[in-house]
Amino acid sequence: PIKMDLLHSNGVLIIQHLQRDYRAYQDFLNFMSHVGDPRNIFSIYFPLWFQLNQVVGTKMIWVAVIGDWFNLIFKWILFGHRPYWWVHETVIYPNQSSPCLEQFPITCETGPGSPSGHAMGSSCVWYVMVTAALSYTVRWKDKSAVTLHRLTWSLLWSIFWIIQISVCISRVFIATHFPHQVILGVFAGILVAEAFEHAPAIQTASLRTYIKTNLFLFIFALGFYLVLKLLDIDLLWSVPKAKKWCANPDWINIDTTPFAGLVRNLGALFGLGLGINSEMFIASCKGKNSCKISFRILCIAASLATLQLYNVVKIPTHTECLFYILSFCKSAAMPLTVVALVPYCVHSLMRTTEKKLN
């Protein structure tokens, strides 16, 4: 369509402007792109928040998983191109003089481009964190506290928008997304996060509920894919385009394919449900030690350290089916470690220490 081509061509001009005039900020923008990576939710944000506030931590995983699931469905429906391949295949530029867009090691995402998963994941999770922090200050009643709440409100929402704008600019800078795709991602993420502000049932969900939710999300996505495939619509059309136009074949990663993200998120949700409904969680996080600051600090430190070790483990990619199975298991192990294994070990260690002192 002509309007979409015009939107894309204007986006290419913005990308060229950023790559030319913001070259000095390349390292910072690449860093912000990593900050917006949805995988950071499970390895950094969640371990911190769950030990500080289990309600917020639980909500964070639900928001991240459901948000990324919606992102996948939207990507399949909208068929959004990415700049780094669109400039080579469009016919709107005369005499085959397509613009030159620089690529980076994190440019070659293989899924469709709209809406941006990084922008959507970043906005929904940071929205949860900001609203959670503000929920503490809104209870203050005296006049000076109300003023402090307003200042805190302004500061936190300013930080929120600075981070979202930086993530969006970084994704456009590396030619992975057009501007309209990151804007759509930000507001879609906020809508998902706001919806979960009114869903308290997730805090008391049983393991059966987690399993049913997992099955629904998987069956719906797989069924949607198969139905459209029967209609001769290939939802993985973007993968060959990414492989064809990526400047360096080594930058293509199976971890960025649509089904890889789905499997990763389903694993994380299953691991959370398994952990929260385990005896280890009840014994440690619901016991007397759970209120101690030392217990929470030790859990945070141990969780972050352990999850970084998980990130060192590389899943073999030579067999796609094996990759998805191991990716599910690894993703499930991460929240299970944060919710049950680490707190139980810390709880046992503290209990042993107390017995020795007595």
mmCIF file of all heavy atoms in Angstrom, residues 235-283:
data_model
loop_
_atom_site.group_PDB
_atom_site.id
_atom_site.type_symbol
_atom_site.label_atom_id
_atom_site.label_comp_id
_atom_site.label_asym_id
_atom_site.label_seq_id
_atom_site.Cartn_x
_atom_site.Cartn_y
_atom_site.Cartn_z
ATOM 1 N N LEU A 235 3.493 -17.696 8.091
ATOM 2 C CA LEU A 235 3.762 -16.741 9.170
ATOM 3 C C LEU A 235 5.247 -16.633 9.500
ATOM 4 O O LEU A 235 5.641 -15.782 10.289
ATOM 5 C CB LEU A 235 2.970 -17.125 10.418
ATOM 6 C CG LEU A 235 1.447 -17.007 10.293
ATOM 7 C CD1 LEU A 235 0.768 -17.378 11.593
ATOM 8 C CD2 LEU A 235 1.048 -15.590 9.885
ATOM 9 N N LEU A 236 6.044 -17.501 8.916
ATOM 10 C CA LEU A 236 7.493 -17.421 9.116
ATOM 11 C C LEU A 236 8.182 -16.814 7.892
ATOM 12 O O LEU A 236 9.359 -17.041 7.646
ATOM 13 C CB LEU A 236 8.061 -18.818 9.406
ATOM 14 C CG LEU A 236 7.507 -19.515 10.656
ATOM 15 C CD1 LEU A 236 8.157 -20.879 10.842
ATOM 16 C CD2 LEU A 236 7.717 -18.657 11.894
ATOM 17 N N TRP A 237 7.443 -15.984 7.166
ATOM 18 C CA TRP A 237 7.955 -15.348 5.949
ATOM 19 C C TRP A 237 9.159 -14.452 6.213
ATOM 20 O O TRP A 237 9.989 -14.220 5.331
ATOM 21 C CB TRP A 237 6.852 -14.498 5.312
ATOM 22 C CG TRP A 237 6.355 -13.406 6.233
ATOM 23 C CD1 TRP A 237 5.373 -13.517 7.168
ATOM 24 C CD2 TRP A 237 6.853 -12.057 6.330
ATOM 25 N NE1 TRP A 237 5.212 -12.326 7.847
ATOM 26 C CE2 TRP A 237 6.108 -11.419 7.344
ATOM 27 C CE3 TRP A 237 7.838 -11.334 5.648
ATOM 28 C CZ2 TRP A 237 6.324 -10.081 7.695
ATOM 29 C CZ3 TRP A 237 8.052 -10.018 6.006
ATOM 30 C CH2 TRP A 237 7.301 -9.397 7.019
ATOM 31 N N SER A 238 9.265 -13.934 7.434
ATOM 32 C CA SER A 238 10.324 -12.977 7.752
ATOM 33 C C SER A 238 11.691 -13.632 7.936
ATOM 34 O O SER A 238 12.730 -12.979 7.777
ATOM 35 C CB SER A 238 9.969 -12.194 9.018
ATOM 36 O OG SER A 238 9.807 -13.076 10.116
ATOM 37 N N VAL A 239 11.701 -14.942 8.287
ATOM 38 C CA VAL A 239 12.968 -15.618 8.566
ATOM 39 C C VAL A 239 13.880 -15.665 7.339
ATOM 40 O O VAL A 239 15.059 -15.294 7.426
ATOM 41 C CB VAL A 239 12.717 -17.030 9.130
ATOM 42 C CG1 VAL A 239 14.039 -17.762 9.345
ATOM 43 C CG2 VAL A 239 11.936 -16.953 10.441
ATOM 44 N N PRO A 240 13.399 -16.107 6.157
ATOM 45 C CA PRO A 240 14.282 -16.089 4.980
ATOM 46 C C PRO A 240 14.720 -14.688 4.566
ATOM 47 O O PRO A 240 15.826 -14.508 4.061
ATOM 48 C CB PRO A 240 13.434 -16.748 3.882
ATOM 49 C CG PRO A 240 12.029 -16.712 4.366
ATOM 50 C CD PRO A 240 12.112 -16.753 5.854
ATOM 51 N N LYS A 241 13.872 -13.687 4.803
ATOM 52 C CA LYS A 241 14.268 -12.313 4.488
ATOM 53 C C LYS A 241 15.421 -11.861 5.381
ATOM 54 O O LYS A 241 16.366 -11.212 4.939
ATOM 55 C CB LYS A 241 13.072 -11.359 4.668
ATOM 56 C CG LYS A 241 11.998 -11.506 3.600
ATOM 57 C CD LYS A 241 10.897 -10.491 3.812
ATOM 58 C CE LYS A 241 9.788 -10.666 2.769
ATOM 59 N NZ LYS A 241 10.250 -10.312 1.414
ATOM 60 N N ALA A 242 15.331 -12.227 6.663
ATOM 61 C CA ALA A 242 16.405 -11.876 7.596
ATOM 62 C C ALA A 242 17.709 -12.544 7.202
ATOM 63 O O ALA A 242 18.781 -11.914 7.213
ATOM 64 C CB ALA A 242 16.002 -12.271 9.011
ATOM 65 N N LYS A 243 17.634 -13.822 6.847
ATOM 66 C CA LYS A 243 18.845 -14.556 6.458
ATOM 67 C C LYS A 243 19.432 -14.003 5.159
ATOM 68 O O LYS A 243 20.657 -13.989 4.977
ATOM 69 C CB LYS A 243 18.524 -16.039 6.298
ATOM 70 C CG LYS A 243 18.185 -16.738 7.613
ATOM 71 C CD LYS A 243 17.853 -18.204 7.396
ATOM 72 C CE LYS A 243 17.567 -18.899 8.720
ATOM 73 N NZ LYS A 243 17.194 -20.330 8.529
ATOM 74 N N LYS A 244 18.580 -13.545 4.265
ATOM 75 C CA LYS A 244 19.050 -13.055 2.969
ATOM 76 C C LYS A 244 19.743 -11.706 3.089
ATOM 77 O O LYS A 244 20.775 -11.464 2.451
ATOM 78 C CB LYS A 244 17.877 -12.946 2.001
ATOM 79 C CG LYS A 244 18.266 -12.437 0.616
ATOM 80 C CD LYS A 244 17.055 -12.379 -0.302
ATOM 81 C CE LYS A 244 17.438 -11.855 -1.683
ATOM 82 N NZ LYS A 244 16.257 -11.789 -2.589
ATOM 83 N N TRP A 245 19.203 -10.809 3.912
ATOM 84 C CA TRP A 245 19.687 -9.428 3.911
ATOM 85 C C TRP A 245 20.530 -9.054 5.127
ATOM 86 O O TRP A 245 21.001 -7.918 5.226
ATOM 87 C CB TRP A 245 18.502 -8.466 3.799
ATOM 88 C CG TRP A 245 17.766 -8.605 2.507
ATOM 89 C CD1 TRP A 245 16.499 -9.057 2.331
ATOM 90 C CD2 TRP A 245 18.267 -8.315 1.191
ATOM 91 N NE1 TRP A 245 16.160 -9.062 0.998
ATOM 92 C CE2 TRP A 245 17.232 -8.605 0.279
ATOM 93 C CE3 TRP A 245 19.486 -7.835 0.703
ATOM 94 C CZ2 TRP A 245 17.378 -8.433 -1.086
ATOM 95 C CZ3 TRP A 245 19.635 -7.671 -0.664
ATOM 96 C CH2 TRP A 245 18.594 -7.964 -1.550
ATOM 97 N N CYS A 246 20.708 -9.981 6.060
ATOM 98 C CA CYS A 246 21.592 -9.690 7.192
ATOM 99 C C CYS A 246 23.032 -9.583 6.691
ATOM 100 O O CYS A 246 23.493 -10.425 5.909
ATOM 101 C CB CYS A 246 21.481 -10.781 8.251
ATOM 102 S SG CYS A 246 22.454 -10.448 9.739
ATOM 103 N N ALA A 247 23.744 -8.559 7.126
ATOM 104 C CA ALA A 247 25.097 -8.297 6.633
ATOM 105 C C ALA A 247 26.082 -9.382 7.042
ATOM 106 O O ALA A 247 27.090 -9.605 6.362
ATOM 107 C CB ALA A 247 25.580 -6.936 7.130
ATOM 108 N N ASN A 248 25.794 -10.052 8.154
ATOM 109 C CA ASN A 248 26.701 -11.086 8.652
ATOM 110 C C ASN A 248 25.877 -12.297 9.094
ATOM 111 O O ASN A 248 25.074 -12.189 10.023
ATOM 112 C CB ASN A 248 27.517 -10.546 9.828
ATOM 113 C CG ASN A 248 28.594 -11.507 10.295
ATOM 114 O OD1 ASN A 248 28.516 -12.713 10.054
ATOM 115 N ND2 ASN A 248 29.604 -10.994 10.975
ATOM 116 N N PRO A 249 26.049 -13.448 8.452
ATOM 117 C CA PRO A 249 25.264 -14.641 8.811
ATOM 118 C C PRO A 249 25.395 -15.032 10.284
ATOM 119 O O PRO A 249 24.483 -15.634 10.847
ATOM 120 C CB PRO A 249 25.832 -15.736 7.902
ATOM 121 C CG PRO A 249 26.452 -14.997 6.753
ATOM 122 C CD PRO A 249 26.966 -13.715 7.324
ATOM 123 N N ASP A 250 26.509 -14.681 10.905
ATOM 124 C CA ASP A 250 26.713 -15.021 12.313
ATOM 125 C C ASP A 250 25.790 -14.237 13.234
ATOM 126 O O ASP A 250 25.635 -14.583 14.406
ATOM 127 C CB ASP A 250 28.172 -14.767 12.713
ATOM 128 C CG ASP A 250 29.135 -15.717 12.021
ATOM 129 O OD1 ASP A 250 28.686 -16.816 11.623
ATOM 130 O OD2 ASP A 250 30.320 -15.360 11.863
ATOM 131 N N TRP A 251 25.203 -13.160 12.737
ATOM 132 C CA TRP A 251 24.295 -12.353 13.539
ATOM 133 C C TRP A 251 22.884 -12.915 13.583
ATOM 134 O O TRP A 251 22.049 -12.444 14.354
ATOM 135 C CB TRP A 251 24.257 -10.915 13.005
ATOM 136 C CG TRP A 251 25.562 -10.198 13.124
ATOM 137 C CD1 TRP A 251 26.656 -10.556 13.855
ATOM 138 C CD2 TRP A 251 25.923 -8.962 12.485
ATOM 139 N NE1 TRP A 251 27.670 -9.643 13.721
ATOM 140 C CE2 TRP A 251 27.248 -8.650 12.875
ATOM 141 C CE3 TRP A 251 25.265 -8.091 11.609
ATOM 142 C CZ2 TRP A 251 27.913 -7.505 12.430
ATOM 143 C CZ3 TRP A 251 25.925 -6.947 11.169
ATOM 144 C CH2 TRP A 251 27.235 -6.663 11.581
ATOM 145 N N ILE A 252 22.604 -13.894 12.741
ATOM 146 C CA ILE A 252 21.297 -14.546 12.761
ATOM 147 C C ILE A 252 21.248 -15.530 13.921
ATOM 148 O O ILE A 252 22.107 -16.400 14.050
ATOM 149 C CB ILE A 252 21.028 -15.300 11.443
ATOM 150 C CG1 ILE A 252 20.958 -14.322 10.269
ATOM 151 C CG2 ILE A 252 19.753 -16.120 11.537
ATOM 152 C CD1 ILE A 252 19.725 -13.452 10.259
ATOM 153 N N ASN A 253 20.249 -15.385 14.774
ATOM 154 C CA ASN A 253 20.157 -16.215 15.976
ATOM 155 C C ASN A 253 18.782 -16.855 16.041
ATOM 156 O O ASN A 253 17.765 -16.159 15.948
ATOM 157 C CB ASN A 253 20.400 -15.346 17.225
ATOM 158 C CG ASN A 253 20.614 -16.178 18.475
ATOM 159 O OD1 ASN A 253 20.217 -17.349 18.531
ATOM 160 N ND2 ASN A 253 21.217 -15.588 19.488
ATOM 161 N N ILE A 254 18.731 -18.157 16.212
ATOM 162 C CA ILE A 254 17.458 -18.862 16.310
ATOM 163 C C ILE A 254 16.636 -18.383 17.492
ATOM 164 O O ILE A 254 15.403 -18.503 17.523
ATOM 165 C CB ILE A 254 17.697 -20.394 16.409
ATOM 166 C CG1 ILE A 254 16.380 -21.156 16.236
ATOM 167 C CG2 ILE A 254 18.378 -20.743 17.725
ATOM 168 C CD1 ILE A 254 16.540 -22.656 16.220
ATOM 169 N N ASP A 255 17.313 -17.782 18.474
ATOM 170 C CA ASP A 255 16.634 -17.294 19.671
ATOM 171 C C ASP A 255 15.700 -16.124 19.368
ATOM 172 O O ASP A 255 14.886 -15.752 20.206
ATOM 173 C CB ASP A 255 17.672 -16.876 20.714
ATOM 174 C CG ASP A 255 17.084 -16.866 22.112
ATOM 175 O OD1 ASP A 255 16.154 -17.648 22.363
ATOM 176 O OD2 ASP A 255 17.542 -16.060 22.939
ATOM 177 N N THR A 256 15.819 -15.514 18.185
ATOM 178 C CA THR A 256 14.959 -14.378 17.839
ATOM 179 C C THR A 256 13.772 -14.792 16.974
ATOM 180 O O THR A 256 12.980 -13.933 16.583
ATOM 181 C CB THR A 256 15.762 -13.296 17.088
ATOM 182 O OG1 THR A 256 16.194 -13.816 15.810
ATOM 183 C CG2 THR A 256 16.971 -12.858 17.881
ATOM 184 N N THR A 257 13.661 -16.072 16.656
ATOM 185 C CA THR A 257 12.531 -16.526 15.838
ATOM 186 C C THR A 257 11.243 -16.464 16.660
ATOM 187 O O THR A 257 11.279 -16.522 17.899
ATOM 188 C CB THR A 257 12.750 -17.959 15.350
ATOM 189 O OG1 THR A 257 12.932 -18.819 16.483
ATOM 190 C CG2 THR A 257 13.972 -18.050 14.438
ATOM 191 N N PRO A 258 10.082 -16.339 15.996
ATOM 192 C CA PRO A 258 8.812 -16.209 16.724
ATOM 193 C C PRO A 258 8.543 -17.318 17.725
ATOM 194 O O PRO A 258 8.139 -17.048 18.868
ATOM 195 C CB PRO A 258 7.775 -16.205 15.590
ATOM 196 C CG PRO A 258 8.503 -15.652 14.410
ATOM 197 C CD PRO A 258 9.903 -16.182 14.541
ATOM 198 N N PHE A 259 8.758 -18.573 17.342
ATOM 199 C CA PHE A 259 8.452 -19.674 18.250
ATOM 200 C C PHE A 259 9.444 -19.770 19.412
ATOM 201 O O PHE A 259 9.108 -20.298 20.478
ATOM 202 C CB PHE A 259 8.412 -20.998 17.479
ATOM 203 C CG PHE A 259 7.111 -21.232 16.769
ATOM 204 C CD1 PHE A 259 7.046 -21.216 15.392
ATOM 205 C CD2 PHE A 259 5.944 -21.434 17.486
ATOM 206 C CE1 PHE A 259 5.840 -21.423 14.732
ATOM 207 C CE2 PHE A 259 4.728 -21.648 16.845
ATOM 208 C CZ PHE A 259 4.680 -21.634 15.449
ATOM 209 N N ALA A 260 10.658 -19.266 19.222
ATOM 210 C CA ALA A 260 11.634 -19.281 20.315
ATOM 211 C C ALA A 260 11.154 -18.401 21.473
ATOM 212 O O ALA A 260 11.264 -18.777 22.644
ATOM 213 C CB ALA A 260 12.993 -18.805 19.812
ATOM 214 N N GLY A 261 10.620 -17.231 21.142
ATOM 215 C CA GLY A 261 10.086 -16.348 22.171
ATOM 216 C C GLY A 261 8.878 -16.955 22.867
ATOM 217 O O GLY A 261 8.729 -16.842 24.087
ATOM 218 N N LEU A 262 8.021 -17.617 22.092
ATOM 219 C CA LEU A 262 6.836 -18.257 22.673
ATOM 220 C C LEU A 262 7.236 -19.343 23.659
ATOM 221 O O LEU A 262 6.731 -19.387 24.792
ATOM 222 C CB LEU A 262 5.981 -18.853 21.550
ATOM 223 C CG LEU A 262 4.755 -19.664 21.993
ATOM 224 C CD1 LEU A 262 3.753 -18.769 22.698
ATOM 225 C CD2 LEU A 262 4.108 -20.352 20.795
ATOM 226 N N VAL A 263 8.155 -20.201 23.266
ATOM 227 C CA VAL A 263 8.607 -21.299 24.134
ATOM 228 C C VAL A 263 9.279 -20.750 25.393
ATOM 229 O O VAL A 263 9.055 -21.252 26.509
ATOM 230 C CB VAL A 263 9.571 -22.220 23.364
ATOM 231 C CG1 VAL A 263 10.259 -23.201 24.301
ATOM 232 C CG2 VAL A 263 8.828 -22.979 22.268
ATOM 233 N N ARG A 264 10.093 -19.712 25.216
ATOM 234 C CA ARG A 264 10.782 -19.107 26.359
ATOM 235 C C ARG A 264 9.782 -18.570 27.386
ATOM 236 O O ARG A 264 9.931 -18.776 28.599
ATOM 237 C CB ARG A 264 11.702 -17.990 25.864
ATOM 238 C CG ARG A 264 12.517 -17.321 26.966
ATOM 239 C CD ARG A 264 13.539 -16.375 26.385
ATOM 240 N NE ARG A 264 12.924 -15.325 25.583
ATOM 241 C CZ ARG A 264 13.114 -15.172 24.272
ATOM 242 N NH1 ARG A 264 13.874 -16.025 23.611
ATOM 243 N NH2 ARG A 264 12.536 -14.183 23.616
ATOM 244 N N ASN A 265 8.749 -17.905 26.918
ATOM 245 C CA ASN A 265 7.769 -17.311 27.827
ATOM 246 C C ASN A 265 6.892 -18.357 28.504
ATOM 247 O O ASN A 265 6.575 -18.244 29.692
ATOM 248 C CB ASN A 265 6.895 -16.317 27.055
ATOM 249 C CG ASN A 265 7.643 -15.047 26.710
ATOM 250 O OD1 ASN A 265 8.270 -14.439 27.552
ATOM 251 N ND2 ASN A 265 7.604 -14.652 25.455
ATOM 252 N N LEU A 266 6.505 -19.382 27.755
ATOM 253 C CA LEU A 266 5.711 -20.448 28.354
ATOM 254 C C LEU A 266 6.508 -21.175 29.430
ATOM 255 O O LEU A 266 5.963 -21.552 30.476
ATOM 256 C CB LEU A 266 5.262 -21.436 27.273
ATOM 257 C CG LEU A 266 4.290 -20.893 26.219
ATOM 258 C CD1 LEU A 266 3.902 -21.987 25.234
ATOM 259 C CD2 LEU A 266 3.049 -20.302 26.868
ATOM 260 N N GLY A 267 7.802 -21.360 29.189
ATOM 261 C CA GLY A 267 8.654 -21.977 30.195
ATOM 262 C C GLY A 267 8.737 -21.147 31.462
ATOM 263 O O GLY A 267 8.653 -21.680 32.581
ATOM 264 N N ALA A 268 8.864 -19.835 31.303
ATOM 265 C CA ALA A 268 8.959 -18.948 32.461
ATOM 266 C C ALA A 268 7.676 -18.967 33.283
ATOM 267 O O ALA A 268 7.713 -19.003 34.522
ATOM 268 C CB ALA A 268 9.272 -17.530 31.990
ATOM 269 N N LEU A 269 6.527 -18.949 32.610
ATOM 270 C CA LEU A 269 5.249 -18.967 33.330
ATOM 271 C C LEU A 269 5.056 -20.295 34.059
ATOM 272 O O LEU A 269 4.604 -20.322 35.216
ATOM 273 C CB LEU A 269 4.097 -18.730 32.347
ATOM 274 C CG LEU A 269 2.721 -18.515 32.983
ATOM 275 C CD1 LEU A 269 2.717 -17.268 33.853
ATOM 276 C CD2 LEU A 269 1.635 -18.407 31.909
ATOM 277 N N PHE A 270 5.420 -21.393 33.412
ATOM 278 C CA PHE A 270 5.310 -22.708 34.051
ATOM 279 C C PHE A 270 6.232 -22.795 35.261
ATOM 280 O O PHE A 270 5.849 -23.302 36.320
ATOM 281 C CB PHE A 270 5.651 -23.805 33.053
ATOM 282 C CG PHE A 270 5.644 -25.186 33.646
ATOM 283 C CD1 PHE A 270 4.456 -25.798 34.006
ATOM 284 C CD2 PHE A 270 6.835 -25.869 33.854
ATOM 285 C CE1 PHE A 270 4.447 -27.077 34.567
ATOM 286 C CE2 PHE A 270 6.837 -27.142 34.407
ATOM 287 C CZ PHE A 270 5.644 -27.749 34.776
ATOM 288 N N GLY A 271 7.463 -22.278 35.122
ATOM 289 C CA GLY A 271 8.414 -22.300 36.231
ATOM 290 C C GLY A 271 7.927 -21.483 37.415
ATOM 291 O O GLY A 271 8.105 -21.887 38.575
ATOM 292 N N LEU A 272 7.284 -20.351 37.136
ATOM 293 C CA LEU A 272 6.726 -19.523 38.213
ATOM 294 C C LEU A 272 5.623 -20.278 38.943
ATOM 295 O O LEU A 272 5.592 -20.304 40.186
ATOM 296 C CB LEU A 272 6.174 -18.222 37.636
ATOM 297 C CG LEU A 272 5.468 -17.296 38.640
ATOM 298 C CD1 LEU A 272 6.445 -16.765 39.678
ATOM 299 C CD2 LEU A 272 4.778 -16.147 37.917
ATOM 300 N N GLY A 273 4.707 -20.891 38.174
ATOM 301 C CA GLY A 273 3.621 -21.644 38.799
ATOM 302 C C GLY A 273 4.126 -22.811 39.622
ATOM 303 O O GLY A 273 3.634 -23.081 40.724
ATOM 304 N N LEU A 274 5.132 -23.503 39.098
ATOM 305 C CA LEU A 274 5.722 -24.634 39.803
ATOM 306 C C LEU A 274 6.373 -24.170 41.098
ATOM 307 O O LEU A 274 6.239 -24.816 42.150
ATOM 308 C CB LEU A 274 6.752 -25.311 38.902
ATOM 309 C CG LEU A 274 7.145 -26.757 39.219
ATOM 310 C CD1 LEU A 274 5.932 -27.677 39.113
ATOM 311 C CD2 LEU A 274 8.238 -27.210 38.257
ATOM 312 N N GLY A 275 7.070 -23.033 41.040
ATOM 313 C CA GLY A 275 7.765 -22.531 42.217
ATOM 314 C C GLY A 275 6.822 -22.046 43.299
ATOM 315 O O GLY A 275 6.970 -22.393 44.484
ATOM 316 N N ILE A 276 5.832 -21.237 42.911
ATOM 317 C CA ILE A 276 4.912 -20.651 43.887
ATOM 318 C C ILE A 276 4.063 -21.720 44.583
ATOM 319 O O ILE A 276 3.665 -21.547 45.738
ATOM 320 C CB ILE A 276 4.012 -19.599 43.191
ATOM 321 C CG1 ILE A 276 4.823 -18.322 42.950
ATOM 322 C CG2 ILE A 276 2.769 -19.291 43.996
ATOM 323 C CD1 ILE A 276 4.064 -17.209 42.294
ATOM 324 N N ASN A 277 3.788 -22.796 43.891
ATOM 325 C CA ASN A 277 2.957 -23.854 44.473
ATOM 326 C C ASN A 277 3.776 -25.001 45.055
ATOM 327 O O ASN A 277 3.239 -26.085 45.313
ATOM 328 C CB ASN A 277 1.998 -24.393 43.406
ATOM 329 C CG ASN A 277 0.934 -23.380 43.018
ATOM 330 O OD1 ASN A 277 -0.067 -23.223 43.715
ATOM 331 N ND2 ASN A 277 1.139 -22.673 41.909
ATOM 332 N N SER A 278 5.073 -24.764 45.271
ATOM 333 C CA SER A 278 5.942 -25.806 45.819
ATOM 334 C C SER A 278 6.048 -25.711 47.338
ATOM 335 O O SER A 278 5.806 -24.653 47.932
ATOM 336 C CB SER A 278 7.342 -25.696 45.196
ATOM 337 O OG SER A 278 7.980 -24.511 45.635
ATOM 338 N N GLU A 279 6.406 -26.805 47.958
ATOM 339 C CA GLU A 279 6.615 -26.837 49.408
ATOM 340 C C GLU A 279 7.819 -25.983 49.808
ATOM 341 O O GLU A 279 7.844 -25.394 50.894
ATOM 342 C CB GLU A 279 6.809 -28.286 49.870
ATOM 343 C CG GLU A 279 5.576 -29.161 49.743
ATOM 344 C CD GLU A 279 4.437 -28.683 50.634
ATOM 345 O OE1 GLU A 279 4.719 -28.128 51.715
ATOM 346 O OE2 GLU A 279 3.268 -28.863 50.243
ATOM 347 N N MET A 280 8.836 -25.927 48.946
ATOM 348 C CA MET A 280 10.023 -25.122 49.249
ATOM 349 C C MET A 280 9.668 -23.650 49.378
ATOM 350 O O MET A 280 10.172 -22.947 50.260
ATOM 351 C CB MET A 280 11.089 -25.331 48.162
ATOM 352 C CG MET A 280 11.758 -26.682 48.190
ATOM 353 S SD MET A 280 13.164 -26.807 47.036
ATOM 354 C CE MET A 280 12.304 -26.739 45.470
ATOM 355 N N PHE A 281 8.790 -23.167 48.500
ATOM 356 C CA PHE A 281 8.362 -21.769 48.561
ATOM 357 C C PHE A 281 7.600 -21.492 49.851
ATOM 358 O O PHE A 281 7.826 -20.486 50.529
ATOM 359 C CB PHE A 281 7.477 -21.445 47.350
ATOM 360 C CG PHE A 281 6.814 -20.101 47.423
ATOM 361 C CD1 PHE A 281 7.524 -18.934 47.169
ATOM 362 C CD2 PHE A 281 5.472 -19.994 47.753
ATOM 363 C CE1 PHE A 281 6.912 -17.696 47.245
ATOM 364 C CE2 PHE A 281 4.851 -18.765 47.827
ATOM 365 C CZ PHE A 281 5.565 -17.606 47.576
ATOM 366 N N ILE A 282 6.699 -22.384 50.203
ATOM 367 C CA ILE A 282 5.899 -22.199 51.421
ATOM 368 C C ILE A 282 6.785 -22.217 52.662
ATOM 369 O O ILE A 282 6.619 -21.407 53.578
ATOM 370 C CB ILE A 282 4.815 -23.293 51.512
ATOM 371 C CG1 ILE A 282 3.833 -23.145 50.349
ATOM 372 C CG2 ILE A 282 4.081 -23.226 52.850
ATOM 373 C CD1 ILE A 282 2.846 -24.290 50.225
ATOM 374 N N ALA A 283 7.763 -23.130 52.686
ATOM 375 C CA ALA A 283 8.637 -23.257 53.863
ATOM 376 C C ALA A 283 9.558 -22.055 54.021
ATOM 377 O O ALA A 283 9.871 -21.658 55.151
ATOM 378 C CB ALA A 283 9.466 -24.533 53.749
#
